[in-house]
């Protein structure tokens, strides 16, 4: 089955699975850790590498944003304002770091200030809450 072969090859490329010449397969220690995570193996490896490099919170946030909708809103009648608000969070050319920056700014606020902050910056509160929920699930 081609889909299974692709999945096995992907796990090999991630160093999560070793295949021997006789066709046997065995999880690597990394693969065992990835199997315990409730997320795609590639994102799991990203999170584990985040822990290794002491940026696990950032890695969790980016992984959660990749698994949810973008928090940036772009209302038709206020597109230029929304684009300017998004650019204010921009870090280089990276959409992932831009989203991380926006989420971190939102999350650092007291609960009572988050809704107004999100509205002012054209951020979807439900999307930001979903990102936070996914992060908690991954911990």
């Amino acid at each position: 089955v081609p889909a299974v072969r692709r999945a096995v090859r992907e796990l090999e490329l991630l160093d999560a699975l070793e295949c021997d010449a006789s066709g046997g397969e065995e999880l690597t220690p990394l693969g065992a850790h990835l199997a315990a995570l409730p997320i795609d193996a590639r994102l799991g490896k990203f999170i584990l590498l985040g822990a290794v490099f002491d940026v696990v919170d950032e890695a969790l946030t980016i992984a959660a944003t990749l698994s949810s909708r973008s928090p940036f809103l772009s209302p038709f009648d206020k597109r230029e304002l929304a684009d300017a608000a998004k650019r204010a969070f921009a870090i280089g050319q990276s959409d992932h770091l831009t989203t991380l920056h926006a989420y971190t700014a939102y999350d650092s606020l007291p609960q009572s200030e988050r809704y107004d902050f999100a509205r002012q910056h054209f951020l979807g509160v439900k999307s930001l809450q979903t990102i936070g929920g996914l992060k908690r699930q991954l911990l």
Side-chain angles (χ1 to χ4, degrees), residues 13-37:
L13 290 172
L14 289 171
D15 295 322
L17 188 70
E18 290 179 344
C19 296
D20 60 32
S22 66
E25 300 163 350
E26 187 173 335
L27 282 178
T28 64
L30 172 62
H33 287 292
L34 294 177
L37 296 174

Side-chain angles (χ1 to χ4, degrees), residues 32-82:
H33 287 292
L34 294 177
L37 296 174
I39 195 163
D40 175 83
R42 290 170 294 187
L43 290 178
K45 185 171 181 178
F46 179 73
I47 292 167
L48 290 175
L49 287 171
V52 168
F53 290 104
D54 199 27
V55 290
V56 72
D57 187 64
E58 293 87 345
L60 285 168
T61 302
I62 291 171
T65 63
L66 290 170
S67 301
S68 63
R69 294 174 56 122
S70 171
F72 295 104
L73 303 175
S74 188
F76 184 75
D77 59 334
K78 297 181 180 176
R79 185 150 298 152
E80 288 183 25
L81 289 172

Side-chain angles (χ1 to χ4, degrees), residues 2 5 9 24 28 33-34 36 38-39 43 70 75 79 90 92 95 108 111 128 131 136 138-139:
R5 280 194 286 271
R9 182 69 185 133
T28 64
H33 287 292
L34 294 177
I39 195 163
L43 290 178
S70 171
R79 185 150 298 152
D95 288 340
S108 69
Q111 196 72 32
L128 292 165
I131 292 166
R136 285 188 293 282
L138 295 171
L139 285 176

Side-chain angles (χ1 to χ4, degrees), residues 68-71 73 106 115 118 123-133:
S68 63
R69 294 174 56 122
S70 171
L73 303 175
Y106 166 85
Y115 180 79
L123 297 168
V125 173
K126 293 282 187 205
S127 295
L128 292 165
Q129 291 171 338
T130 298
I131 292 166

